[in-house]
Amino acid sequence: MEPQAEERTLGEPAPPPSGASASPTPDEEERTEGGAPPAATPAGASGDSTSADGLWGLPVEHAERRPECGRCSRPQKVCLCPYLPVHPLQISTHLYIIQHPAEESKVLRTVPLLAACLPPDRCTVKIGRRFSEERDVELATVCRDSGTLILYPGAEATNLEEFILDSPVYPSTIILIDGTWSQAKDIFYKNSLFRLPKQVQLKTSVCSQYVIRMQPTNRCLSTLECAAVALSILEKNNCIQETLLRPLQALCSFQLQHGAQIRLSKEYLLRNGLYPKPMPKNKRKLRKMELLMNSVKI
């Protein structure tokens, strides 16, 4: 539930060869209309251009990906396996994670750490944005099961601890959505399958320990933290939460020791006048910002 990656470019296009049309490009026309005269070409630029043209013919060396640990999916030099349980946790609940495709390539994602702590037959990760009963038969079956819950906050969600006290069928599966908050919202509301299970939420005052990523509010938790709290409730075992959080704490500690900074929540920055960006002009986004500043749950 995290920021988007920035694109990188190799460089600006090479100047056109001699004899090419002198007509300005649309970008050049736009700059000319602004009244600024075109910059003069420095002496000797043509020679530099000729030598630069030859660089495009050189082969591109692709950076090799660092070897990864087969269990925690971290680079081997910063493996977090010493902080994982020696044996996968024995749980009866099936954790079903719906992961936004953008999360799969992120370096500091938490789902691999979570999956490494659980038995393979108790943790399923399905990647995608749109799902249907015809194409995703297994997921549709899971969603229609009376023992399945989906963890997503909202006005219609029931507190998980209260739900299991009154439910005639004890939950056997819980679905979590992994992505940024906007990605999770998009997945939840644009897939009718996720309206089939009972919607639950966590009622906790715990602040996120995933301090190397900015969260919308102080109460927002990472996917791993949500799973840790939910499983400890469903399995009635508080040790599960402690065990699952250990590799996350180690990950954040390592990153902070090597240059990362603690990321305060957007709510905290706004309420204390520290938010570095200008307020949005879009009325809907501005309203969300105002709600955060007043600590109103959105």
Side-chain angles (χ1 to χ4, degrees), residues 61-256:
E61 295 184 4
H62 298 283
E64 293 185 6
R65 193 180 184 90
R66 291 184 292 175
E68 290 185 349
C69 171
R71 187 182 180 194
C72 69
S73 300
R74 293 278 296 160
Q76 290 179 355
K77 290 186 177 180
V78 288
C79 172
L80 293 176
C81 286
Y83 303 94
L84 301 178
V86 177
H87 303 290
L89 297 176
Q90 296 305 308
I91 58 174
S92 58
T93 307
H94 186 186
L95 193 63
Y96 209 106
I97 300 173
I98 304 299
Q99 186 178 72
H100 190 280
E103 286 295 310
E104 191 179 8
S105 60
K106 290 184 178 178
V107 177
L108 300 178
R109 59 197 188 278
T110 63
V111 167
L113 297 177
L114 174 60
C117 295
L118 304 175
D121 62 342
R122 286 290 177 265
C123 184
T124 300
V125 180
K126 189 172 183 64
I127 301 170
R129 296 176 61 245
R130 298 291 179 265
F131 306 94
S132 66
E133 293 203 43
E134 298 76 20
R135 189 175 64 251
D136 305 285
V137 179
E138 178 188 335
L139 177 59
T141 302
V142 170
C143 289
R144 289 191 174 280
D145 192 308
S146 59
T148 298
L149 305 176
I150 185 164
L151 186 66
Y152 189 83
E156 299 179 0
T158 304
N159 177 23
L160 176 59
E161 289 184 286
E162 296 174 358
F163 175 79
I164 61 176
L165 293 176
D166 302 326
S167 176
V169 179
Y170 200 82
S172 58
T173 302
I174 186 164
I175 299 174
L176 277 70
I177 303 177
D178 181 47
T180 64
W181 285 94
S182 60
Q183 290 167 351
K185 181 179 180 180
D186 176 77
I187 290 175
F188 180 77
Y189 285 107
K190 293 188 178 179
N191 289 282
S192 58
L193 280 178
F194 299 141
R195 232 76 80 243
L196 298 176
K198 179 64 179 179
Q199 184 182 348
V200 295
Q201 62 186 357
L202 301 174
K203 187 178 181 180
T204 176
S205 58
V206 176
C207 290
S208 176
Q209 297 185 42
Y210 197 21
V211 295
I212 55 176
R213 279 199 174 166
M214 180 186 289
Q215 304 288 3
T217 74
N218 299 326
R219 299 174 300 276
C220 293
L221 303 177
S222 66
T223 303
L224 184 147
E225 291 171 307
C226 287
V229 176
L231 288 176
S232 67
I233 293 172
L234 293 170
E235 299 290 321
K236 300 177 181 179
N237 184 350
N238 291 331
C239 293
I240 290 177
Q241 182 175 344
E242 181 183 341
T243 302
L244 291 179
L245 291 181
R246 193 176 297 127
L248 177 65
Q249 293 165 347
L251 171 64
C252 293
S253 176
F254 178 85
Q255 294 299 127
L256 291 173

